[in-house]
Amino acid sequence: MYIPLVTPWLNSSRLVRRKGGGGGGKSGGGGGKSGGSGGSSGSKSGGSGSGSSSVPITGASGSKANARSYGGGSTKVTTIPAGQLFSGRSSGGGTRNDVFGSRQYGSGYPGTSTPGVAGRGFPFGFWPITFGAAAGLGAASQFHSNEYGDPNNSSRPGGSLFDAPFQPPDGSNTYRVLSDNTTVQALIASITANCSLSTTSISAVPYNTSDPTQPKPEQVIQYYRSSSIALTLDGYNNSAVFSSDVNATDTPLPSNINGTFLDCLNQTIGAAAPLLDAAGPRAQVSSWLGLALVVLHLLRWHSL
């Protein structure tokens, strides 16, 4: 049985690989201890995150208007009504167990192992991210800027795309979270609370496709929430993302990364990413369960 944030300890210690497209509740693992500097250099002792909190989602597809950090998600599926963007498509149905994708764009859709975003519904209420010109010549159609708009599209649920940088205490690597503005702001709070960082003064910036320092599709090491969130690593270059072969081999992650820190990032994003708010006591129980598992995970690393 899959248990969020617990199963990765028992299975692979790596992030989810490209093959299979993700979804179906598989966790990314987060790098485990491989390649890391160990100890408590990547996660805070007993970190409790920012707790379960509701955030408004402007421009959301469908009838839902709020999402919840550490929430359990919603199994309710609705049809986007006529007159709204993407009318006729489904919205909702994604739960916390379904958040993790893989390194392949279009992964992380519940109930399917086939990657892709074209024409699909929105199980978590959020649109897939797009890279615009940052995808490079001839690759824009692969990353569906035409279907979901440019990164600065203000109609996007949660607002236009923003990214925020995160570094371990020694500043050895720079990771970036790319998603809608609402999601990025919520994750800054959760990651700052849970993970040991080189600085706690983290500011998100609008995603600028003409800025060479901002995330590119070949730098993605993990997608989440039906490819509406990406975690990238500066300097990483995975050319397999441009291949039409889903079995193409990913470029290995650098051997000198702090695996403890990467695991903290990965697990916190998986547990704290805002999901459509499901009303009622059951949803609240799921929220606290997700939070409790984060605490358990971080205490485990601190004890090593």
Side-chain angles (χ1 to χ4, degrees):
M1 181 179 71
Y2 171 78
I3 305 174
L5 303 183
V6 175
T7 300
W9 304 345
L10 306 178
N11 296 337
S12 170
S13 63
R14 298 170 298 175
L15 294 170
V16 170
R17 294 184 61 81
R18 186 169 184 267
K19 184 177 180 181
K26 292 185 178 180
S27 169
K33 293 183 289 184
S34 60
S37 58
S40 59
S41 60
S43 59
K44 292 183 178 178
S45 173
S48 60
S50 58
S52 178
S53 59
S54 184
V55 292
I57 304 301
T58 58
S61 299
S63 58
K64 292 287 185 179
N66 289 285
R68 185 171 294 277
S69 296
Y70 295 100
S74 174
T75 57
K76 181 180 180 180
V77 179
T78 61
T79 300
I80 299 174
Q84 295 190 17
L85 294 171
F86 301 110
S87 62
R89 297 193 191 184
S90 62
S91 179
T95 68
R96 185 63 61 185
N97 285 5
D98 305 316
V99 165
F100 285 95
S102 70
R103 289 184 207 172
Q104 188 170 17
Y105 184 68
S107 63
Y109 281 80
T112 179
S113 61
T114 304
V117 301
R120 284 187 165 173
F122 309 100
F124 300 99
F126 296 84
W127 301 354
I129 62 174
T130 60
F131 290 93
L137 185 63
S141 60
Q142 180 181 350
F143 294 95
H144 291 274
S145 294
N146 293 334
E147 184 172 355
Y148 298 105
D150 291 329
N152 62 0
N153 183 0
S154 60
S155 297
R156 175 178 292 274
S160 58
L161 295 184
F162 276 63
D163 71 272
F166 300 91
Q167 292 182 321
D170 61 5
S172 56
N173 299 106
T174 300
Y175 299 87
R176 300 179 192 272
V177 172
L178 174 65
S179 190
D180 62 274
N181 186 30
T182 299
T183 294
V184 171
Q185 298 297 340
L187 288 176
I188 288 175
S190 297
I191 292 171
T192 300
N194 285 322
C195 304
S196 297
L197 304 169
S198 61
T199 176
T200 56
S201 298
I202 306 296
S203 297
V205 297
Y207 182 50
N208 181 0
T209 59
S210 63
D211 184 346
T213 67
Q214 293 203 343
K216 301 176 181 62
E218 62 268 29
Q219 296 176 332
V220 174
I221 59 175
Q222 185 74 38
Y223 284 102
Y224 312 81
R225 208 181 62 181
S226 61
S227 292
S228 62
I229 304 172
L231 177 64
T232 68
L233 172 61
D234 281 11
Y236 179 63
N237 187 354
N238 184 20
S239 59
V241 300
F242 299 111
S243 174
S244 59
D245 180 6
V246 297
N247 295 312
T249 302
D250 290 314
T251 301
L253 293 177
S255 61
N256 64 340
I257 60 174
N258 182 332
T260 304
F261 180 75
L262 174 55
D263 188 70
C264 187
L265 285 178
N266 185 48
Q267 299 296 347
T268 300
I269 295 170
L275 302 185
L276 288 180
D277 200 1
R282 183 176 180 179
Q284 189 66 26
V285 170
S286 298
S287 301
W288 286 111
L289 175 60
L291 178 57
L293 287 170
V294 170
V295 175
L296 178 62
H297 167 71
L298 296 175
L299 286 173
R300 170 184 177 271
W301 275 113
H302 183 64
S303 65
L304 294 179

